Amino acid sequence: MLKTFEKYLIKLFLKKILTMSLIFLSLILILSVFEEINFFKELNLHFTYPFFMTLLNAPVTLLEIFPFIFLLSTQFFFIELIEKNEIGVLKTNGIDNFKVIKLLSLTSFILGLLLIVFFYNFSSKLKFLYLDIKNNYSKDNKYLAVITNNGLWIKDEIDEKIYIINAAVIQKNKLRQVSINEFDKNFNLIRLIESEEVDISNLEWIIYKPKISKNNKTQILKMNMNLITHFDIQKIYGMFRNLTSLNIFELFKLRSDYKSLGYSTLEIESHLHKLAAFPLYVSIMTLLSSILMFNIKRDTSMIFHIIIGIFLSVLIYYFYFLSNLIGQSEKIPLYASVWLPLGLLVIFIFIGLIRINEK
């Protein structure tokens, strides 16, 4: 059972996290709504639409900055304890600094687990709805690409012709085992183009030795054939990179589909590792902030604490971001790119915990 002091400290810590989360959520809403207004300004929609879209997109953004919310919340938690002289009261009752830090870090870890299990899956659904609505009003909404168990599927429209394209494998800048169904605007089949290999390095595809079926006749060309599309390899890759719109189960399914297609799973693996590391990440930020607060003089101004916290948040964010980029470029193992920065922070924390009860 939790003791009275533990209940008090946990309640105060959760209160600070909630307050800080609401502050950051408000900032996200204010900054994001202008982008949505700019997107919808030429459409004849109700004026509340941009605000609704902003609400759908905000939870995903909030989740990304939660580690820094934990860091700043911990600072304000200790600032209140210091202002009320409750650190001394706790020590008088046999509760040392290490016990307080251990309680906060454990609370952070459990809260991090709950955020991943519940809040992440909730925010991913909202993000999916956001992207779906945005696509309906996008100028490119008639150009679609999806990955299923049957490979890559693309719907494209060029010069009043509709193309339904299927490829079994993506390999570097090429599609393998490709079939292209060409229809008129009324979806009457014009011809079927099949090829073992198609180069999609740019918007003008090169179809190698195509087999063309038209009016029940089949012809195999010895020359390569060109096809103008709205897709190249970079655009196709880009359409599947918004992994925050998928819940955990969908991410595992997508990884399986990518493997069957021969598509790189590096980004999905990186995203899954980051989700797995999230509870530890927020715990580390709480520990780091706690050590920082115990090592700064008690009479230091609140503004100084906040500046240090923000500087530390930015520094860790860019270090973590850079490590992930290096991992996705395969210069270091992917798992190391996610866990190594956290490991280095843990080492720093262990050093900071030495003689922490003497602070």
Side-chain angles (χ1 to χ4, degrees):
M1 295 291 292
L2 290 175
K3 297 178 181 178
T4 303
F5 84 91
E6 291 175 330
K7 291 179 181 178
Y8 170 73
L9 293 177
I10 291 173
K11 183 179 178 181
L12 178 61
F13 184 53
L14 294 178
K15 179 182 175 182
K16 295 302 178 184
I17 290 175
L18 179 61
T19 302
M20 195 61 60
S21 298
L22 291 174
I23 291 172
F24 273 91
L25 180 60
S26 300
L27 290 174
I28 291 168
L29 294 174
I30 292 169
L31 295 174
S32 300
V33 73
F34 295 107
E35 180 182 345
E36 301 302 332
I37 290 172
N38 185 59
F39 180 86
F40 289 104
K41 65 182 179 182
E42 296 179 0
L43 300 173
N44 187 23
L45 296 170
H46 196 271
F47 77 94
T48 58
Y49 223 82
F51 298 95
F52 172 68
M53 296 297 289
T54 303
L55 285 172
L56 292 179
N57 194 41
V60 164
T61 307
L62 184 65
L63 186 70
E64 292 177 358
I65 59 176
F66 256 123
F68 312 107
I69 290 175
F70 274 73
L71 187 147
L72 294 172
S73 298
T74 305
Q75 284 189 297
F76 281 99
F77 167 86
F78 279 106
I79 287 171
E80 182 165 335
L81 290 185
I82 291 169
E83 288 179 346
K84 293 181 179 180
N85 197 30
E86 291 179 339
I87 295 289
V89 174
L90 290 172
K91 286 187 175 182
T92 302
N93 287 275
I95 303 161
D96 56 33
N97 296 341
F98 184 75
K99 286 183 179 179
V100 176
I101 291 176
K102 184 172 68 173
L103 180 65
L104 295 184
S105 61
L106 181 59
T107 303
S108 297
F109 186 84
I110 294 172
L111 191 55
L113 281 175
L114 294 175
L115 286 171
I116 287 300
V117 173
F118 297 104
F119 187 80
Y120 171 76
N121 289 307
F122 167 74
S123 65
S124 68
K125 290 295 183 185
L126 295 183
K127 182 70 173 183
F128 179 83
L129 180 60
Y130 169 84
L131 293 174
D132 189 48
I133 295 173
K134 206 76 175 282
N135 182 63
N136 289 332
Y137 291 101
S138 172
K139 295 178 181 178
D140 293 333
N141 66 342
K142 59 184 178 181
Y143 316 130
L144 305 173
V146 294
I147 288 178
T148 70
N149 291 328
N150 297 319
L152 172 69
W153 290 89
I154 295 174
K155 175 179 176 276
D156 200 0
E157 294 186 28
I158 299 285
D159 298 330
E160 297 188 347
K161 292 180 180 178
I162 302 170
Y163 295 90
I164 305 296
I165 303 163
N166 175 239
V169 177
I170 299 178
Q171 193 173 68
K172 295 184 178 179
N173 294 330
K174 294 179 180 178
L175 301 181
R176 307 284 183 184
Q177 302 175 38
V178 182
S179 64
I180 303 172
N181 293 276
E182 183 180 319
F183 300 88
D184 62 21
K185 60 181 180 180
N186 296 316
F187 269 95
N188 296 311
L189 181 63
I190 299 173
R191 60 179 176 173
L192 170 64
I193 305 170
E194 295 177 291
S195 175
E196 286 298 313
E197 183 177 274
V198 176
D199 189 323
I200 58 170
S201 301
N202 51 59
L203 299 179
E204 185 174 357
W205 291 9
I206 301 173
I207 305 173
Y208 296 100
K209 297 180 181 179
K211 181 172 73 172
I212 302 175
S213 301
K214 183 177 181 181
N215 298 327
N216 295 321
K217 294 181 180 180
T218 301
Q219 179 184 11
I220 300 176
L221 301 183
K222 294 181 180 180
M223 301 290 291
N224 297 334
M225 175 183 175
N226 292 344
L227 178 68
I228 302 295
T229 73
H230 289 100
F231 292 88
D232 58 11
I233 189 64
Q234 293 302 321
K235 184 171 183 179
I236 290 173
Y237 280 1
M239 295 187 75
F240 304 112
R241 283 180 176 164
N242 208 318
L243 301 176
T244 56
S245 64
L246 303 175
N247 62 40
I248 294 173
F249 300 105
E250 290 168 337
L251 286 169
F252 280 107
K253 182 181 182 303
L254 185 64
R255 183 179 66 173
S256 177
D257 291 341
Y258 275 20
K259 286 180 178 178
S260 66
L261 185 61
Y263 187 80
S264 173
T265 62
L266 278 175
E267 291 193 27
I268 298 178
E269 297 287 355
S270 177
H271 190 65
L272 287 170
H273 274 287
K274 284 191 282 187
L275 292 179
F278 184 83
L280 179 61
Y281 192 7
V282 295
S283 299
I284 287 173
M285 297 301 273
T286 299
L287 284 166
L288 202 60
S289 182
S290 300
I291 291 168
L292 179 68
M293 293 301 295
F294 277 121
N295 282 277
I296 293 178
K297 293 181 179 179
R298 300 287 169 86
D299 57 351
T300 307
S301 69
M302 184 187 298
I303 295 176
F304 179 78
H305 286 98
I306 295 171
I307 292 173
I308 291 294
I310 293 173
F311 174 76
L312 196 60
S313 299
V314 172
L315 190 65
I316 293 171
Y317 172 82
Y318 280 108
F319 177 57
Y320 202 50
F321 179 76
L322 180 61
S323 178
N324 274 272
L325 283 181
I326 296 172
Q328 290 179 19
S329 65
E330 300 183 83
K331 293 182 179 178
I332 61 174
L334 185 64
Y335 66 88
S337 70
V338 176
W339 297 96
L340 182 60
L342 299 183
L344 294 175
L345 289 174
V346 168
I347 293 172
F348 182 80
I349 285 168
F350 276 126
I351 295 172
L353 286 174
I354 297 173
R355 303 173 68 180
I356 192 68
N357 286 330
E358 298 178 10
K359 303 296 180 180

Coordinates of all heavy atoms in Angstrom, one line a residue, residues 116-176:
I116 N 1.6 4.7 -24.0 CA 1.8 4.0 -25.2 C 0.6 3.0 -25.5 O 0.2 2.9 -26.7 CB 3.1 3.2 -25.1 CG1 4.3 4.1 -25.3 CG2 3.2 2.1 -26.2 CD1 4.4 4.9 -26.6
V117 N 0.1 2.4 -24.5 CA -0.9 1.4 -24.7 C -2.2 2.0 -25.0 O -3.0 1.6 -26.0 CB -1.1 0.5 -23.4 CG1 -2.3 -0.4 -23.5 CG2 0.1 -0.3 -23.2
F118 N -2.6 3.1 -24.4 CA -3.9 3.8 -24.6 C -3.8 5.1 -25.4 O -4.5 5.2 -26.4 CB -4.6 4.0 -23.2 CG -4.8 2.8 -22.4 CD1 -4.1 2.5 -21.4 CD2 -5.9 1.9 -22.8 CE1 -4.3 1.3 -20.6 CE2 -6.1 0.8 -22.1 CZ -5.3 0.5 -21.0
F119 N -3.0 6.0 -25.0 CA -3.0 7.3 -25.6 C -2.4 7.2 -27.1 O -3.0 7.9 -28.0 CB -2.2 8.3 -24.8 CG -2.2 9.7 -25.3 CD1 -3.3 10.5 -25.1 CD2 -1.2 10.2 -26.1 CE1 -3.4 11.8 -25.5 CE2 -1.3 11.5 -26.6 CZ -2.4 12.3 -26.3
Y120 N -1.4 6.4 -27.3 CA -0.8 6.3 -28.6 C -1.8 5.7 -29.6 O -2.0 6.2 -30.7 CB 0.4 5.4 -28.6 CG 0.9 5.2 -30.0 CD1 1.6 6.1 -30.8 CD2 0.7 3.9 -30.6 CE1 2.0 5.9 -32.1 CE2 1.1 3.7 -31.9 CZ 1.7 4.6 -32.6 OH 2.1 4.4 -33.9
N121 N -2.5 4.6 -29.2 CA -3.5 4.0 -30.1 C -4.7 4.9 -30.4 O -5.2 5.0 -31.5 CB -4.0 2.7 -29.5 CG -2.9 1.6 -29.5 OD1 -2.3 1.3 -30.6 ND2 -2.6 1.0 -28.4
F122 N -5.1 5.7 -29.3 CA -6.1 6.7 -29.5 C -5.7 7.8 -30.5 O -6.4 8.2 -31.4 CB -6.5 7.3 -28.2 CG -7.3 8.5 -28.2 CD1 -8.7 8.4 -28.6 CD2 -6.8 9.8 -27.9 CE1 -9.5 9.6 -28.6 CE2 -7.6 10.9 -28.0 CZ -8.9 10.8 -28.3
S123 N -4.5 8.3 -30.3 CA -4.0 9.4 -31.1 C -3.7 9.0 -32.6 O -3.9 9.7 -33.5 CB -2.7 10.0 -30.5 OG -1.6 9.1 -30.6
S124 N -3.3 7.7 -32.7 CA -3.1 7.2 -34.1 C -4.4 7.1 -34.9 O -4.4 7.4 -36.1 CB -2.4 5.8 -34.0 OG -3.3 4.8 -33.5
K125 N -5.5 6.8 -34.2 CA -6.8 6.7 -34.9 C -7.2 8.1 -35.3 O -7.7 8.3 -36.4 CB -7.9 6.1 -33.9 CG -7.7 4.7 -33.7 CD -7.9 3.8 -34.9 CE -7.8 2.3 -34.7 NZ -7.9 1.6 -35.9
L126 N -7.0 9.1 -34.5 CA -7.3 10.5 -34.8 C -6.4 11.0 -36.0 O -6.9 11.7 -36.9 CB -7.1 11.4 -33.6 CG -8.0 11.2 -32.4 CD1 -7.8 12.2 -31.3 CD2 -9.5 11.2 -32.8
K127 N -5.1 10.6 -36.0 CA -4.2 10.9 -37.0 C -4.7 10.3 -38.4 O -4.6 11.0 -39.4 CB -2.8 10.5 -36.7 CG -1.7 10.9 -37.7 CD -1.5 12.4 -37.7 CE -0.3 12.7 -38.6 NZ 0.0 14.2 -38.6
F128 N -5.1 9.1 -38.3 CA -5.6 8.4 -39.5 C -6.8 9.1 -40.1 O -6.9 9.4 -41.3 CB -6.0 6.9 -39.2 CG -6.5 6.2 -40.4 CD1 -5.6 5.6 -41.3 CD2 -7.9 6.1 -40.6 CE1 -6.1 4.9 -42.4 CE2 -8.4 5.4 -41.7 CZ -7.5 4.8 -42.6
L129 N -7.7 9.5 -39.2 CA -8.9 10.2 -39.6 C -8.5 11.6 -40.2 O -9.1 12.0 -41.2 CB -9.9 10.4 -38.4 CG -11.2 11.2 -38.7 CD1 -12.0 10.5 -39.7 CD2 -12.0 11.3 -37.4
Y130 N -7.5 12.2 -39.6 CA -7.0 13.5 -40.0 C -6.5 13.4 -41.5 O -6.8 14.2 -42.3 CB -6.0 14.0 -39.1 CG -5.1 15.2 -39.6 CD1 -5.6 16.5 -39.4 CD2 -3.9 15.0 -40.2 CE1 -4.9 17.6 -39.9 CE2 -3.2 16.1 -40.7 CZ -3.7 17.4 -40.5 OH -2.9 18.4 -40.9
L131 N -5.6 12.4 -41.7 CA -5.0 12.2 -43.0 C -6.1 11.8 -44.1 O -6.0 12.3 -45.2 CB -3.9 11.2 -43.0 CG -2.7 11.5 -42.1 CD1 -1.8 10.3 -42.0 CD2 -2.0 12.7 -42.7
D132 N -7.1 11.0 -43.6 CA -8.1 10.6 -44.6 C -9.0 11.8 -45.0 O -9.3 12.0 -46.2 CB -9.0 9.6 -43.9 CG -10.0 8.9 -44.8 OD1 -9.5 8.5 -45.9 OD2 -11.2 8.8 -44.5
I133 N -9.3 12.7 -44.1 CA -10.1 13.9 -44.4 C -9.3 14.8 -45.3 O -9.8 15.4 -46.3 CB -10.6 14.6 -43.2 CG1 -11.6 13.7 -42.4 CG2 -11.3 15.9 -43.5 CD1 -12.0 14.2 -41.1
K134 N -8.0 15.0 -44.9 CA -7.1 15.9 -45.6 C -6.9 15.4 -47.1 O -6.9 16.2 -48.0 CB -5.8 15.9 -44.9 CG -4.9 17.2 -45.1 CD -5.5 18.3 -44.3 CE -4.6 19.5 -44.4 NZ -3.4 19.4 -43.6
N135 N -6.8 14.1 -47.3 CA -6.7 13.5 -48.6 C -7.9 13.8 -49.5 O -7.8 14.0 -50.7 CB -6.4 12.0 -48.5 CG -6.2 11.4 -49.9 OD1 -5.2 11.7 -50.6 ND2 -7.1 10.5 -50.3
N136 N -9.1 13.8 -48.9 CA -10.3 14.0 -49.6 C -10.4 15.4 -50.2 O -11.0 15.6 -51.2 CB -11.5 13.8 -48.7 CG -11.7 12.3 -48.4 OD1 -11.3 11.4 -49.2 ND2 -12.3 12.0 -47.3
Y137 N -9.7 16.4 -49.5 CA -9.7 17.7 -50.0 C -8.4 18.1 -50.7 O -8.3 19.3 -51.1 CB -10.0 18.7 -48.8 CG -11.4 18.6 -48.3 CD1 -11.7 17.8 -47.1 CD2 -12.5 19.1 -49.0 CE1 -13.0 17.7 -46.6 CE2 -13.8 19.0 -48.5 CZ -14.0 18.3 -47.3 OH -15.3 18.2 -46.9
S138 N -7.5 17.2 -50.8 CA -6.2 17.5 -51.4 C -6.4 17.4 -52.9 O -7.2 16.7 -53.5 CB -5.2 16.5 -51.0 OG -4.0 16.6 -51.7
K139 N -5.6 18.2 -53.6 CA -5.6 18.2 -55.1 C -5.1 16.9 -55.7 O -5.3 16.6 -56.8 CB -4.8 19.4 -55.6 CG -5.3 20.7 -55.3 CD -4.4 21.8 -55.8 CE -5.0 23.2 -55.4 NZ -4.1 24.3 -55.9
D140 N -4.4 16.1 -54.8 CA -3.8 14.9 -55.3 C -4.7 13.7 -54.9 O -4.2 12.5 -54.9 CB -2.4 14.7 -54.8 CG -1.5 15.7 -55.4 OD1 -1.8 16.2 -56.5 OD2 -0.5 16.1 -54.7
N141 N -5.9 13.9 -54.4 CA -6.7 12.7 -53.9 C -7.0 11.7 -54.9 O -7.5 10.6 -54.5 CB -7.9 13.3 -53.2 CG -8.9 13.9 -54.2 OD1 -8.6 14.2 -55.3 ND2 -10.2 14.0 -53.7
K142 N -6.9 11.9 -56.2 CA -7.2 10.9 -57.1 C -6.0 10.0 -57.4 O -6.0 9.1 -58.2 CB -7.7 11.5 -58.5 CG -6.7 12.5 -59.1 CD -7.4 13.1 -60.4 CE -6.5 14.1 -61.0 NZ -7.1 14.7 -62.2
Y143 N -4.8 10.3 -56.8 CA -3.6 9.5 -57.0 C -3.4 8.8 -55.7 O -3.0 9.4 -54.7 CB -2.4 10.4 -57.4 CG -2.7 11.5 -58.4 CD1 -2.4 12.8 -58.2 CD2 -3.4 11.1 -59.6 CE1 -2.7 13.8 -59.1 CE2 -3.6 12.1 -60.5 CZ -3.3 13.4 -60.3 OH -3.6 14.3 -61.3
L144 N -3.5 7.5 -55.7 CA -3.4 6.7 -54.5 C -2.4 5.6 -54.6 O -2.2 5.1 -55.7 CB -4.8 6.1 -54.2 CG -6.0 7.1 -54.1 CD1 -7.3 6.3 -54.0 CD2 -5.8 8.0 -52.9
A145 N -1.9 5.2 -53.4 CA -0.9 4.1 -53.4 C -1.1 3.4 -52.0 O -1.2 4.0 -51.0 CB 0.5 4.6 -53.6
V146 N -1.2 2.0 -52.1 CA -1.4 1.3 -50.8 C -0.5 0.0 -51.0 O -0.2 -0.5 -52.1 CB -2.9 0.9 -50.6 CG1 -3.7 2.1 -50.3 CG2 -3.4 0.1 -51.7
I147 N -0.2 -0.6 -49.8 CA 0.5 -1.8 -49.8 C -0.4 -2.9 -49.1 O -0.9 -2.6 -48.0 CB 1.8 -1.7 -49.0 CG1 2.8 -0.9 -49.9 CG2 2.4 -3.1 -48.7 CD1 4.2 -0.7 -49.2
T148 N -0.6 -4.0 -49.7 CA -1.4 -5.1 -49.2 C -0.6 -6.4 -49.2 O 0.5 -6.4 -49.7 CB -2.7 -5.3 -49.9 OG1 -2.4 -5.8 -51.3 CG2 -3.5 -3.9 -50.1
N149 N -1.3 -7.5 -48.9 CA -0.6 -8.8 -49.0 C -0.3 -9.2 -50.4 O 0.5 -10.0 -50.7 CB -1.5 -9.9 -48.4 CG -1.6 -9.7 -46.9 OD1 -0.7 -9.3 -46.2 ND2 -2.8 -10.1 -46.3
N150 N -1.0 -8.5 -51.4 CA -0.8 -8.8 -52.8 C 0.2 -7.8 -53.4 O 0.3 -7.8 -54.7 CB -2.2 -8.7 -53.5 CG -3.1 -9.8 -53.0 OD1 -2.7 -10.9 -52.8 ND2 -4.4 -9.4 -52.9
G151 N 0.9 -7.1 -52.6 CA 1.9 -6.2 -53.2 C 1.5 -4.7 -53.1 O 0.6 -4.3 -52.4
L152 N 2.2 -3.9 -54.0 CA 1.9 -2.5 -54.1 C 0.9 -2.3 -55.1 O 0.9 -2.8 -56.2 CB 3.2 -1.8 -54.5 CG 3.1 -0.3 -54.9 CD1 2.8 0.5 -53.6 CD2 4.4 0.2 -55.6
W153 N -0.1 -1.4 -54.8 CA -1.2 -1.0 -55.7 C -1.2 0.5 -55.8 O -1.1 1.2 -54.8 CB -2.6 -1.5 -55.1 CG -2.8 -3.0 -55.2 CD1 -2.4 -3.9 -54.2 CD2 -3.3 -3.7 -56.2 NE1 -2.8 -5.1 -54.6 CE2 -3.3 -5.1 -55.8 CE3 -3.9 -3.4 -57.5 CZ2 -3.8 -6.1 -56.6 CZ3 -4.3 -4.4 -58.3 CH2 -4.3 -5.8 -57.9
I154 N -1.3 0.9 -57.1 CA -1.3 2.4 -57.4 C -2.4 2.7 -58.3 O -2.7 2.0 -59.3 CB 0.0 2.8 -58.1 CG1 1.2 2.6 -57.1 CG2 0.0 4.3 -58.5 CD1 2.6 2.9 -57.8
K155 N -3.2 3.8 -58.0 CA -4.2 4.3 -58.9 C -3.7 5.7 -59.3 O -3.4 6.5 -58.5 CB -5.5 4.4 -58.2 CG -6.6 5.1 -59.0 CD -7.9 5.1 -58.2 CE -9.0 5.9 -59.0 NZ -9.0 7.3 -58.9
D156 N -3.7 5.8 -60.7 CA -3.2 7.1 -61.2 C -4.1 7.5 -62.4 O -4.8 6.7 -63.0 CB -1.8 6.9 -61.8 CG -1.0 8.2 -61.9 OD1 -1.6 9.3 -61.6 OD2 0.2 8.2 -62.3
E157 N -4.1 8.8 -62.7 CA -4.9 9.3 -63.8 C -4.0 10.3 -64.6 O -3.5 11.2 -64.1 CB -6.1 10.1 -63.3 CG -7.2 9.2 -62.6 CD -8.4 9.9 -62.2 OE1 -8.8 10.9 -62.9 OE2 -9.1 9.5 -61.2
I158 N -3.9 10.0 -65.9 CA -3.1 10.8 -66.8 C -3.9 10.9 -68.1 O -4.4 9.9 -68.7 CB -1.8 10.1 -67.1 CG1 -0.9 9.9 -65.9 CG2 -1.0 10.9 -68.2 CD1 -0.3 11.2 -65.4
D159 N -4.1 12.2 -68.6 CA -4.8 12.5 -69.9 C -6.1 11.7 -70.0 O -6.3 11.0 -71.0 CB -3.8 12.1 -71.0 CG -2.6 12.9 -71.0 OD1 -2.6 14.1 -70.5 OD2 -1.5 12.4 -71.4
E160 N -7.0 11.8 -69.0 CA -8.3 11.2 -69.0 C -8.2 9.6 -69.1 O -9.2 9.0 -69.5 CB -9.2 11.7 -70.1 CG -9.5 13.2 -70.0 CD -10.5 13.7 -71.0 OE1 -10.8 13.0 -71.9 OE2 -11.0 14.8 -70.8
K161 N -7.1 9.1 -68.7 CA -6.9 7.6 -68.6 C -6.6 7.3 -67.2 O -5.9 8.0 -66.5 CB -5.8 7.1 -69.5 CG -6.2 7.3 -71.0 CD -5.0 6.8 -71.9 CE -5.3 7.0 -73.4 NZ -4.2 6.5 -74.3
I162 N -7.2 6.2 -66.8 CA -7.0 5.7 -65.4 C -6.1 4.4 -65.4 O -6.4 3.5 -66.2 CB -8.4 5.4 -64.7 CG1 -9.3 6.6 -64.7 CG2 -8.2 4.8 -63.3 CD1 -10.7 6.3 -64.3
Y163 N -5.1 4.4 -64.5 CA -4.2 3.3 -64.5 C -4.3 2.6 -63.1 O -4.2 3.3 -62.1 CB -2.8 3.8 -64.7 CG -2.5 4.3 -66.1 CD1 -2.7 5.6 -66.4 CD2 -2.1 3.5 -67.1 CE1 -2.5 6.2 -67.7 CE2 -1.9 4.0 -68.4 CZ -2.1 5.3 -68.7 OH -1.9 5.8 -69.9
I164 N -4.5 1.3 -63.1 CA -4.5 0.5 -61.9 C -3.2 -0.3 -62.0 O -3.1 -1.2 -62.9 CB -5.7 -0.3 -61.7 CG1 -7.0 0.5 -61.7 CG2 -5.6 -1.1 -60.4 CD1 -7.1 1.5 -60.6
I165 N -2.2 -0.1 -61.1 CA -0.9 -0.7 -61.2 C -0.7 -1.6 -60.0 O -0.9 -1.2 -58.9 CB 0.2 0.4 -61.3 CG1 -0.1 1.3 -62.5 CG2 1.6 -0.3 -61.5 CD1 0.6 2.6 -62.5
N166 N -0.2 -2.8 -60.3 CA 0.2 -3.7 -59.2 C 1.6 -4.2 -59.4 O 2.0 -4.5 -60.5 CB -0.8 -4.9 -59.2 CG -0.4 -6.0 -58.1 OD1 -0.2 -7.1 -58.5 ND2 -0.3 -5.6 -56.9
A167 N 2.4 -4.2 -58.3 CA 3.7 -4.8 -58.4 C 4.0 -5.7 -57.2 O 3.5 -5.4 -56.1 CB 4.8 -3.6 -58.4
A168 N 4.6 -6.8 -57.4 CA 4.9 -7.8 -56.4 C 6.0 -7.4 -55.5 O 6.0 -7.7 -54.3 CB 5.1 -9.2 -57.0
V169 N 7.0 -6.7 -56.0 CA 8.2 -6.4 -55.2 C 8.7 -5.0 -55.6 O 8.6 -4.6 -56.8 CB 9.3 -7.4 -55.5 CG1 10.6 -7.0 -54.8 CG2 8.9 -8.8 -55.1
I170 N 9.2 -4.2 -54.6 CA 9.9 -3.0 -54.8 C 11.4 -3.3 -54.5 O 11.7 -3.8 -53.4 CB 9.5 -1.9 -53.9 CG1 8.0 -1.5 -54.1 CG2 10.3 -0.6 -54.1 CD1 7.5 -0.4 -53.2
Q171 N 12.3 -3.0 -55.5 CA 13.7 -3.3 -55.3 C 14.5 -2.1 -55.7 O 14.6 -1.8 -57.0 CB 14.1 -4.6 -56.0 CG 15.5 -5.1 -55.7 CD 15.8 -6.4 -56.3 OE1 15.9 -6.5 -57.6 NE2 15.8 -7.5 -55.6
K172 N 15.0 -1.3 -54.8 CA 15.7 -0.1 -55.1 C 14.8 0.8 -55.9 O 13.8 1.2 -55.4 CB 17.0 -0.4 -55.8 CG 18.0 -1.1 -54.9 CD 19.4 -1.3 -55.6 CE 20.3 -2.0 -54.6 NZ 21.7 -2.3 -55.3
N173 N 15.2 1.2 -57.1 CA 14.4 2.1 -57.9 C 13.5 1.4 -58.9 O 13.0 2.0 -59.9 CB 15.3 3.1 -58.7 CG 16.0 4.0 -57.7 OD1 15.5 4.3 -56.6 ND2 17.2 4.4 -58.1
K174 N 13.2 0.1 -58.7 CA 12.5 -0.7 -59.7 C 11.4 -1.5 -59.1 O 11.4 -1.9 -57.9 CB 13.4 -1.6 -60.4 CG 14.5 -0.9 -61.3 CD 15.4 -1.8 -62.0 CE 16.4 -1.0 -62.9 NZ 17.4 -1.9 -63.5
L175 N 10.3 -1.7 -59.9 CA 9.2 -2.5 -59.5 C 9.4 -3.9 -60.2 O 9.8 -3.9 -61.4 CB 7.9 -1.9 -59.9 CG 7.5 -0.6 -59.2 CD1 6.1 -0.1 -59.7 CD2 7.5 -0.6 -57.7
R176 N 9.1 -5.0 -59.6 CA 9.2 -6.3 -60.2 C 7.8 -6.9 -60.3 O 6.9 -6.7 -59.5 CB 10.1 -7.2 -59.4 CG 11.4 -6.6 -59.0 CD 12.4 -6.7 -60.2 NE 13.7 -6.2 -59.8 CZ 14.7 -6.0 -60.6 NH1 14.6 -6.3 -61.9 NH2 15.9 -5.5 -60.2

